[in-house]
Amino acid sequence: MKFSHKTLLILLLLASTFVFGQTPGFNYQALILNTKEIQIPGTDVLENQVPLGLEEIALRFTITNEAGTEYIEEHTINTDENGMVSVIIGEGTPINNTFYDINWDGKLKYLNVELNILNNNDGFVFLDSQKILYIPQPENGNGNRNGNIKIVNSLGDLSLPFKLGDIIWLTNYGLNNNPSLMIWDDTKWIPINDDFDPTNEFGLIVVDNDSFRNIQFKDPVTGDQVWNQTCKCIEIFDGTHWVSSKNTEAINGLYTNGDNIKLGGILIEPTIITTDVTNTFAIAGLLESTNTEDKIIVIDKSTGVLRQKPTSTFLQKKQVVIIAYEGQIDFTTPLNITNTDKIDVYRNGVRINFTAINTTTIKLEREAKCYQDDKIRIVQFY
C-alpha cells in the first residue's frame, strides 16, 4: 500500500471571490497533494490522493493580461491537516507593482500560480493558470475606482427591483458576520460562491454527473475544470484523472466519514504491515480478558499471517487420583510446584482449598480432612 509521484501537485480553485474592504482582493483556496512516497498499512490509497498536510509552503501569484504582467505577489503559509490553504490575493507581499495598480478594464486576465515547498529546497514550480473574469469594483467615493457594486451592511438596506445576476457586497453575512459578495438568483440573494448554475459568473461549466462531464470534455487537457452537481464539487483534470477534494477512495480496511479517512472496515486483499527495530507496531489500551473461552492471536512462523487459537491448546495439564486413608490431609503433586494458581484439588468431585508445604507436597484445609477411601484428584497445569 504505497504510492509515489515525483512532482505532481494538484490545486483546486475552490473559491475565487472578490473581497472588497480596506484592502481589496479575492479569496484563493487550494488543495495541495503530497509529492512524497507514502506508506499506509492495511490499505491502498489511489495515486495522488494524500493531502500535503501541515507543511510550510510559499505561493506566488502573477496576474497577467494580453500585454504582459500586471502584478506579482507572494504568500508564505502552512497547509492545514487536510492539505488546504486559503489566502487573499491582494494581501500578499508585492513583488511587482501593487494590487491597486491592476486595471480592471473588463478584459480577460489570467492568474498564474507557482508553488515552493520550502522543505524541499526546489524553488518555485509552476502549477496552474486560471482565468479571471471581470467583476466591477465597488463605488467608494474616493474617485480612484470606477464600478457599480453597491456595498450594504444588511439586505434590508436594498430596494427593489433586482435583476438576475445583480451583485452586491454585504459587509455582514452568516452566523459569523463575515463579508461576502452576493448575487441575486432571481429569487433571493446568495453568496456568489454558491452560484454554480450554467451561467455562473466564474465561467465554470456545470454538468449533472460524470457521464455528462465526459461528453462535455471528450479530450480534456490538464487544468480543465468543471462543477459536478452529483458530488457538489469542482473537479480538475490532472492529465490522467478527474480529481477533487471529495473523490478520495478509502478501501481495504479504511472508510470515509465526511472529510475524514478512518481505520475500520473489510480487508479485500492480502495485506502486509512491515515493522523493524525502529518502526515497531503496538496497540495500547486493550481490555483484560475474563472469559476462559476467549481465543488468543498467534503468528504463523512461515508467513507471518495472524491466526486465532483456543487457550486450551496452550495449557497442558497433568493429574493424579489418590485414594485417601482416614484423616489424610497431605498429598504429593504430580509435578513440582512453581505456582499454586496452576493447581486445582478436588475431593470426591468438589474443589477444595489447600496450601503448599514444599515444592512437591500440598496440605488440604483442616475442614477438608479425608475419610477412608475418599477420592482426591490433583490437577496441575504447566
Side-chain angles (χ1 to χ4, degrees):
M1 297 68 52
K2 67 180 182 179
F3 66 88
S4 63
H5 212 289
K6 180 62 178 174
T7 318
L8 182 57
L9 293 132
I10 297 166
L11 265 70
L12 303 182
L13 181 59
L14 301 180
S16 181
T17 303
F18 278 75
V19 178
F20 297 104
Q22 292 183 351
T23 304
F26 54 95
N27 290 336
Y28 188 90
Q29 291 180 299
L31 169 65
I32 301 180
L33 302 183
N34 208 323
T35 60
K36 298 179 181 178
E37 181 179 274
I38 299 297
Q39 292 188 350
I40 299 181
T43 186
D44 286 333
V45 177
L46 295 182
E47 187 178 73
N48 303 322
Q49 295 299 301
V50 177
L52 182 69
L54 304 177
E55 186 77 28
E56 187 178 21
I57 65 171
L59 290 170
R60 177 186 293 162
F61 298 101
T62 302
I63 295 177
T64 63
N65 57 29
E66 59 184 8
T69 299
E70 286 195 61
Y71 175 66
I72 301 174
E73 73 174 30
E74 293 181 3
H75 294 253
T76 300
I77 189 173
N78 289 325
T79 61
D80 67 14
E81 61 273 14
N82 298 313
M84 294 294 299
V85 292
S86 179
V87 299
I88 295 179
I89 299 175
E91 294 186 353
T93 301
I95 304 300
N96 185 1
N97 296 327
T98 70
F99 194 81
Y100 291 96
D101 293 327
I102 300 174
N103 180 20
W104 300 107
D105 55 4
K107 296 180 180 179
L108 184 65
K109 301 181 189 295
Y110 288 89
L111 175 68
N112 301 307
V113 185
E114 297 171 87
L115 171 68
N116 181 4
I117 301 176
L118 300 182
N119 285 337
N120 288 359
N121 297 317
D122 291 335
F124 282 97
V125 177
F126 177 79
L127 289 181
D128 192 33
S129 182
Q130 303 277 347
K131 293 179 181 179
I132 303 178
L133 300 182
Y134 173 70
I135 296 179
Q137 298 189 48
E139 299 173 352
N140 53 20
N142 62 13
N144 292 334
R145 297 173 181 82
N146 297 316
N148 56 11
I149 292 182
K150 181 175 290 187
I151 301 175
V152 296
N153 295 322
S154 73
L155 295 179
D157 296 339
L158 299 171
S159 301
L160 293 171
F162 307 130
K163 301 191 304 294
L164 177 66
D166 279 353
I167 296 173
I168 63 168
W169 179 249
L170 182 61
T171 59
N172 294 284
Y173 174 75
L175 296 177
N176 297 321
N177 296 320
N178 293 322
S180 178
L181 195 64
M182 310 289 287
I183 187 169
W184 180 253
D185 69 354
D186 209 28
T187 304
K188 59 186 180 299
W189 292 100
I190 62 173
I192 203 163
N193 284 343
D194 296 339
D195 183 39
F196 291 112
D197 56 75
T199 58
N200 70 85
E201 283 65 32
F202 295 115
L204 284 175
I205 294 176
V206 179
V207 297
D208 291 333
N209 51 44
D210 292 352
S211 297
F212 285 101
R213 179 200 64 203
N214 294 337
I215 293 174
Q216 183 70 38
F217 293 88
K218 293 181 180 179
D219 298 302
V221 297
T222 301
D224 279 346
Q225 301 179 37
V226 65
W227 176 259
N228 191 321
Q229 298 196 95
T230 298
C231 71
K232 298 186 183 303
C233 63
I234 295 176
E235 295 180 310
I236 292 182
F237 190 71
D238 68 359
T240 306
H241 306 287
W242 289 96
V243 297
S244 78
S245 59
K246 291 190 175 182
N247 69 352
T248 298
E249 183 179 4
I251 59 175
N252 200 35
L254 294 182
Y255 70 98
T256 55
N257 183 2
D259 293 330
N260 299 315
I261 298 178
K262 296 187 174 182
L263 182 64
I266 300 174
L267 294 181
I268 60 174
E269 60 186 45
T271 303
I272 298 175
I273 300 176
T274 302
T275 65
D276 54 36
V277 175
T278 302
N279 302 300
T280 59
F281 180 77
I283 301 177
L286 295 179
L287 298 178
E288 181 180 353
S289 171
T290 58
N291 188 341
T292 58
E293 296 183 356
D294 283 347
K295 297 181 179 181
I296 64 175
I297 296 176
V298 296
I299 301 176
D300 188 297
K301 67 178 182 179
S302 300
T303 64
V305 173
L306 299 182
R307 305 183 189 279
Q308 60 180 358
K309 198 168 186 178
T311 55
S312 59
T313 61
F314 289 87
L315 291 176
Q316 301 185 54
K317 65 182 179 180
K318 191 169 185 178
Q319 65 179 358
V320 62
V321 176
I322 302 171
I323 304 300
Y325 57 80
E326 183 71 26
Q328 183 177 0
I329 59 174
D330 294 344
F331 295 89
T332 301
T333 57
L335 300 170
N336 286 342
I337 300 172
T338 58
N339 187 343
T340 56
D341 291 337
K342 294 183 178 181
I343 300 176
D344 291 329
V345 180
Y346 301 87
R347 188 187 73 175
N348 299 327
V350 178
R351 187 174 178 179
I352 56 178
N353 293 329
F354 65 92
T355 57
I357 298 176
N358 52 47
T359 58
T360 60
T361 306
I362 61 172
K363 176 180 287 190
L364 305 185
E365 57 185 355
R366 183 174 298 277
E367 295 78 7
K369 67 179 180 179
C370 295
Y371 296 99
Q372 184 66 37
D373 296 330
D374 276 350
K375 183 184 292 185
I376 300 298
R377 183 164 64 94
I378 302 174
V379 180
Q380 194 165 1
F381 296 92
Y382 63 96

